[in-house]
Amino acid sequence: MFRYAIKLAGLLAAACLPLYAQAQPYPDKPVRLIVAYTPGGATDVIARILAAKLSTSWGQQVIVENKSGASGMIGAEQVARATPDGYTLLLAYTPEVSINKLVYKQMRYDPLKDLQPIALVADAPLVLVSGPKLPATTYSDLKQQGAKAPLVYGSPGMGGQQHLAGELLRVRSGMNLTHVPYRGTALAVADLVGGQIDIFFATAPAIIGQIGAGKLHPLFIAGPQRQSVLPSTPTAKEVGLDDFDISNWFGLFGPAGMPPALVERISKDTAQALQAADVKEKLQAQGLAISYKPPQEFKTFIGAEMAKYGAIVKATGLEPQ
C-alpha cells in the first residue's frame, strides 16, 4: 500500500509539471537573440530594433549576439541545439532556413526539424549596387562593362540569396561573373566601397548610407515595385529582367520542442512590437516592410520559399557544396 501511495504521488507530481511550467513568468531572465551574421547587415538592424522593443515590453533585457560564419549555419545551429525554453532565439533570414538545405550536402542541423518558426517579421527586395571601381551607374552601363571584361560580385556567404541572385544574373544577362563569398554583408560592402569587388546584391539597410554618400550606385531593385527610399532606382523588370523578384525575409525562430503556448506568446508579443509607431518608422526608413505572419502561416511560407529557391538552384546549375 505504501509503495502504491509513493507511485501515485509521483504520477501526480509529474502531471502537475506542465501546469507549473505554464505558471512561470516569461521571461524572468535575459533572453539571447542570435544573429548569424556580422553587425551592420539588415538582419542585425532588425534584431536590434526588435530587441529594444521586446526588452521594454518584457521588462527583461533581450541581448543581441552576432555568431557569424558558414552562411548563417553557425548561429542557427547554436539555436537549434539550445534548450527550448524561449531564452535562446534566432533572428534569421532566408539562407539558414530556406536555402542552405538546397545547396549544402551536409548540415549539422535540419532547419525544418530543428527550428521552430515563431514569426515572420519583415521583408525587403534585394538591390543591385555597383562600387567606385566600376564606371557603371545604370544597369545598361553594367552590361557594357560586363561585355568588356569579367566582373566580380560578392555575397554574405555561399548559397545565400545574394549568391543565388548573382548566379541568376550571370545566367540571365550572359555576363562573365565571378563569385566571392564573405562572412557577412558589412564585410562585403566594405570591400565593394574599397574597390575589391565590382557589384553586390543587398537590402537597403546595409547600403543606403553609402548610396547617399555617392560611394555606391543602385542599378535595379529585384522586386515588383520601386522602393520609397530609392524612388529613382528602376525595378529589374524595368531594365529588361523579367521574373527577377528576389526579396530577403527576416523571421524569429526558436529551438524545436518549445511549448506551443510559449511560441504563441512570443509571436503575439512580436506582432505587438511591430505595430509600434517607432518600430514601423525605423524599419521603413531602412527600406524594410513589416510582414508579420504567425507560426503556422510562417511555416507554410518557408515551404513555398524552399520550392522557389529550389527552382532557381536548378536553373543556375549551382552544384551542392
Side-chain angles (χ1 to χ4, degrees):
M1 180 70 180
F2 177 75
R3 186 179 299 173
Y4 173 77
I6 292 293
K7 184 176 181 180
L8 180 60
L11 290 173
L12 289 172
C16 288
L17 281 176
L19 296 176
Y20 173 78
Q22 290 177 17
Q24 300 308 295
Y26 173 88
D28 61 3
K29 62 182 180 179
V31 176
R32 300 169 65 213
L33 181 56
I34 304 297
V35 172
Y37 300 92
T38 53
T43 314
D44 181 71
V45 169
I46 295 169
R48 294 182 188 279
I49 293 172
L50 184 61
K53 183 57 66 174
L54 289 176
S55 294
T56 300
S57 63
W58 285 346
Q60 290 287 346
Q61 191 174 11
V62 179
I63 303 169
V64 176
E65 297 182 14
N66 299 88
K67 304 289 184 180
S68 64
S71 296
M73 291 189 286
I74 291 176
E77 184 186 355
Q78 285 197 15
V79 176
R81 301 288 176 252
T83 303
D85 57 5
Y87 288 96
T88 304
L89 304 174
L90 174 71
L91 200 291
Y93 95 112
T94 322
E96 60 266 36
V97 180
S98 289
I99 298 178
N100 286 349
K101 191 176 175 67
L102 304 171
V103 297
Y104 285 96
K105 293 179 181 178
Q106 292 185 336
M107 291 179 63
R108 292 165 62 91
Y109 69 96
D110 186 327
L112 298 179
K113 295 179 180 178
D114 299 331
L115 292 174
Q116 168 64 54
I118 297 175
L120 179 63
V121 172
D123 62 34
L126 293 179
V127 181
L128 179 64
V129 289
S130 61
K133 173 186 174 183
L134 196 67
T137 58
T138 67
Y139 179 63
S140 178
D141 292 341
L142 177 67
K143 289 183 68 176
Q144 290 178 16
Q145 294 298 319
K148 296 176 183 177
L151 302 176
V152 178
Y153 75 94
S155 82
M158 290 289 295
Q161 270 178 308
Q162 283 96 317
H163 181 195
L164 292 185
E167 289 301 295
L168 189 60
L169 180 64
R170 176 183 61 80
V171 171
R172 298 281 297 278
S173 70
M175 290 186 288
N176 185 353
L177 302 178
T178 300
H179 174 231
V180 175
Y182 288 81
R183 287 173 61 89
T185 295
L187 297 175
V189 170
D191 268 10
L192 180 64
V193 172
Q196 280 72 46
I197 57 177
D198 298 301
I199 55 175
F200 183 66
F201 279 98
T203 47
I207 54 177
I208 196 69
Q210 301 287 3
I211 291 174
K215 295 180 180 179
L216 299 180
H217 303 289
L219 306 181
F220 69 75
I221 293 168
Q225 59 191 22
R226 296 192 179 198
Q227 284 196 287
S228 59
V229 293
L230 295 169
S232 62
T233 303
T235 65
K237 186 173 183 178
E238 287 179 288
V239 301
L241 291 169
D242 292 330
D243 299 321
F244 205 103
D245 293 347
I246 302 180
S247 292
N248 276 352
W249 54 260
F250 308 87
L252 191 63
F253 294 82
M258 290 176 63
L262 179 58
V263 173
E264 290 295 332
R265 159 76 192 281
I266 298 174
S267 185
K268 289 179 179 178
D269 288 349
T270 300
Q272 185 175 5
L274 293 174
Q275 290 305 309
D278 59 332
V279 171
K280 286 183 177 181
E281 182 179 350
K282 290 174 182 176
L283 292 177
Q284 289 171 357
Q286 296 286 338
L288 295 160
I290 293 172
S291 53
Y292 172 77
K293 291 185 187 295
Q296 190 55 48
E297 287 184 34
F298 188 19
K299 183 177 181 179
T300 301
F301 172 80
I302 291 169
E305 285 289 284
M306 290 191 75
K308 180 177 80 174
Y309 287 106
I312 292 176
V313 168
K314 184 177 180 179
T316 58
L318 193 65
E319 292 291 334
Q321 303 296 309

